[in-house]
Amino acid sequence: MSVSPSAVTRATRPASVLLAALAVIAALSARTSLAEQPGPDANLPTVEGGGVTLHSVSVDLPDGDRTFAGGQAADPINNNCLACHSAGMILTQPRLSEVEWRAIVDKMRHTYKAPVATEDAPAIVDYLATMNFGK
Amino acid sequence: MNVFESSLPTRRRFLGGVGMLGATAAAFPASAGGLVDLGLPGGPSRRDLTTAFPQKGQMILQRTRPALLETPFEVFDRGVFTPNEQFFVRWHWSVIPQRIDVAAFRVTVRGHVNNTLSLSMVDLLAMPRVELAAVNQCSGNSRGFFQPRVPGGQWANGAMGNARWTGVRLREVLDRAGVKPGAVAVRFDGLDQPVVDGAPDFIKSVGIDHARDGELMLAFQMNGEQLPLLNGFPLRLVVPGWYSTYWVKMLNDIEVLAAPDENFWMKTAYRIPDNPRADVRPGESGVKTVPINRMVPRSFFTNVTNGTVVSSGANIAIRGIAFGGDCGVSQVEVSADGGRNWQKSDLGRDEGTYSFRQWSARVATPNAGKFVLQVRCTNTKGAVQPAAPNWNGGGYMRNVIESVELTAA
């Protein structure tokens, strides 16, 4: 399942960057069925040599459909942070301080080029620092 | 009873082997779907078990996209090699090709070389072939147990696996291209890419002498089968004895460098404090770092876990796996008295320097009550696991002596 375009297309980030990211995600999740694990694809070639045969492969990698709870308070994190990775990245983190979360959000933006508008960053940090991740 | 082989499901064998009254196997999950509790201090500790990933059986779900899948720990009790369908998975970026035409695939060798090469899988299959058993372990395996906790992939101990890797020597490929004098390093890139333009593509490098040492290989099979796509089909780098960050998956580009590698994934990421245990005080600053490199010895219990109930006043069969890190296993010992006394275990078949090694021991259990067992590995260079865990901000290189608390009843 892919990230819903309507939930993430907001005016607060460079639309072209996010649309490009969404196009990639959509292309990668074009097939909806996860019931099959196709593995080797009969329509693509195999190669052989020295007693080994390698079969071309075609698979469907799951996207992850979890979003963050909290209604409007979760909008900044849902709209900005799921373009590159699913929610599990965040939901499995230990309890971290606001300072630690701010450093992580800064790293996401500056090192990993997350398209997070400057005005959204404080709300994201606040959400992360106060979120109860459960057991 | 042969402790090293079994075709029975783990739970049943494990009950029979130690004569237990009823396992409470707190950390080992039920065999179908559901949740597992990894026992991470402070949590969150519960993870879904998933079978949703192609070419993969049941895995512990750390993250869906891009996949972080941990091996359920009972898998390590079933044999010394980790089955491909339950081998752990770790990707950095989520633009991962889902369709690979193995006939069209090429790996380029370029840079400070005499000849640029574009090798097909057929070319590689025709080259002299080598096979090597080696442990592939994530740099951050066991990060979830760090105290104080650190951010990153919150693995328990299952971000590791052992396989027989089949392929060609990297040296062979480099020699075909002809490495020019002045080459200092070789850098590796795979087919995966960042989602956003300008983000650092995941690339890693090793020194030129290391690259040409004859042990690094380009692998096209693991455990006698082609690589699952999620483990790097059709080709990945194998760097025996070094952490998995170097084992670039879907390897399609090999660049020989004439200057040190300044890329983010070497210069900033995956760096450890420059001391033998990669150990600093939490909050310590101004620490010199180096790129993470060699693995260190580790050992684990695989047929018992915290909460296992065993017969009291009995001699029970305990077993597990160990590895030497960047060399072989010299010995594995078990202690039942908090590390004051250690008894030598029996070691299983030596599958090679860099492989898992199975170990087993018979341990006398006390009368009713809880008791703790510890296991430690000494490698062939004489390095032994420490009694106290290391700490660093990246959550890397954990190798503290492992303990299990059992209940004699």
Side-chain angles (χ1 to χ4, degrees), chain B residues 325-395:
Chain B
D326 67 341
C327 60
V329 171
S330 176
Q331 65 180 5
V332 176
E333 300 164 290
V334 177
S335 175
D337 63 2
R340 283 185 295 284
N341 293 287
W342 293 91
Q343 69 179 82
K344 259 179 102 149
S345 73
D346 294 316
L347 295 177
R349 205 171 99 137
D350 185 356
E351 301 284 350
T353 300
Y354 302 106
S355 174
F356 280 162
R357 191 85 180 265
Q358 290 175 309
W359 63 266
S360 68
R362 296 206 79 91
V363 172
T365 63
N367 296 323
K370 292 192 203 284
F371 66 106
V372 173
L373 293 182
Q374 297 180 300
V375 60
R376 75 177 179 189
C377 173
T378 305
N379 72 17
T380 53
K381 292 184 185 176
V384 63
Q385 289 178 260
N390 69 328
W391 193 92
N392 54 72

Side-chain angles (χ1 to χ4, degrees), chain A residues 3 40 60 83 99 123 131:
Chain A
V3 175
D60 190 12
V99 167
M131 184 165 57

Side-chain angles (χ1 to χ4, degrees), chain A residues 50 55 61 86 89 135, chain B residues 45 63 65 98 100 129 226:
Chain A
H55 302 266
L61 296 179
S86 60
M89 177 83 264
K135 293 195 182 344
Chain B
S45 204
R63 181 179 73 188
R65 172 175 52 87
Q98 297 183 68
I100 306 255
R129 194 168 297 167
Q226 65 184 52

Side-chain angles (χ1 to χ4, degrees), chain A residues 36-113:
Chain A
E36 291 177 30
Q37 303 214 354
D41 186 321
N43 297 323
L44 291 173
T46 63
V47 299
E48 277 183 60
V52 168
T53 302
L54 300 174
H55 302 266
S56 296
V57 173
S58 182
V59 303
D60 190 12
L61 296 179
D63 243 358
D65 56 359
R66 278 191 293 180
T67 53
F68 297 96
Q72 229 180 350
D75 280 351
I77 192 171
N78 280 323
N79 295 343
N80 285 285
C81 303
L82 299 176
C84 293
H85 59 67
S86 60
M89 177 83 264
I90 294 165
L91 294 171
T92 53
Q93 296 305 307
R95 220 156 259 230
L96 298 170
S97 68
E98 187 177 327
V99 167
E100 288 168 307
W101 277 120
R102 187 170 303 117
I104 290 168
V105 172
D106 283 349
K107 184 172 76 169
M108 294 298 126
R109 297 176 65 213
H110 299 122
T111 301
Y112 297 136
K113 308 301 183 203

Side-chain angles (χ1 to χ4, degrees), chain B residues 174-386:
Chain B
L174 292 174
D175 286 352
R176 287 205 182 185
V179 174
K180 293 209 284 217
V184 301
V186 183
R187 186 159 64 192
F188 306 94
D189 190 7
L191 292 174
D192 52 323
Q193 292 171 59
V195 176
V196 183
D197 264 352
D201 186 26
F202 181 69
I203 51 180
K204 296 292 291 188
S205 62
V206 298
I208 185 66
D209 292 337
H210 187 200
R212 294 196 66 258
D213 76 358
E215 286 190 325
L216 273 71
M217 56 190 293
L218 309 184
F220 43 73
Q221 285 189 317
M222 57 193 284
N223 296 320
E225 298 168 10
Q226 65 184 52
L227 311 177
L229 183 133
L230 285 172
N231 293 113
F233 179 83
L235 193 71
R236 80 177 303 169
L237 186 66
V238 170
V239 187
W242 282 43
Y243 286 97
S244 184
T245 182
Y246 293 95
W247 297 44
V248 172
K249 297 185 290 293
M250 292 188 179
L251 176 65
N252 76 317
D253 188 72
I254 299 171
E255 182 187 3
V256 179
L257 307 178
D261 189 1
E262 301 284 309
N263 102 78
F264 166 79
W265 295 102
M266 294 297 298
K267 192 158 180 189
T268 306
Y270 285 104
R271 294 189 68 104
I272 52 169
D274 190 13
N275 61 62
R277 294 188 54 216
D279 189 26
V280 295
R281 288 185 315 277
E284 199 176 330
S285 62
V287 176
K288 177 172 181 282
T289 63
V290 292
I292 197 169
N293 50 92
R294 301 166 179 282
M295 297 197 289
V296 285
R298 303 196 76 177
S299 54
F300 300 92
F301 297 95
T302 60
N303 75 333
V304 290
T305 185
N306 288 321
T308 302
V309 179
V310 299
S311 303
S312 60
N315 238 341
I316 59 168
I318 299 291
R319 62 177 182 256
I321 48 153
F323 55 102
D326 67 341
C327 60
V329 171
S330 176
Q331 65 180 5
V332 176
E333 300 164 290
V334 177
S335 175
D337 63 2
R340 283 185 295 284
N341 293 287
W342 293 91
Q343 69 179 82
K344 259 179 102 149
S345 73
D346 294 316
L347 295 177
R349 205 171 99 137
D350 185 356
E351 301 284 350
T353 300
Y354 302 106
S355 174
F356 280 162
R357 191 85 180 265
Q358 290 175 309
W359 63 266
S360 68
R362 296 206 79 91
V363 172
T365 63
N367 296 323
K370 292 192 203 284
F371 66 106
V372 173
L373 293 182
Q374 297 180 300
V375 60
R376 75 177 179 189
C377 173
T378 305
N379 72 17
T380 53
K381 292 184 185 176
V384 63
Q385 289 178 260

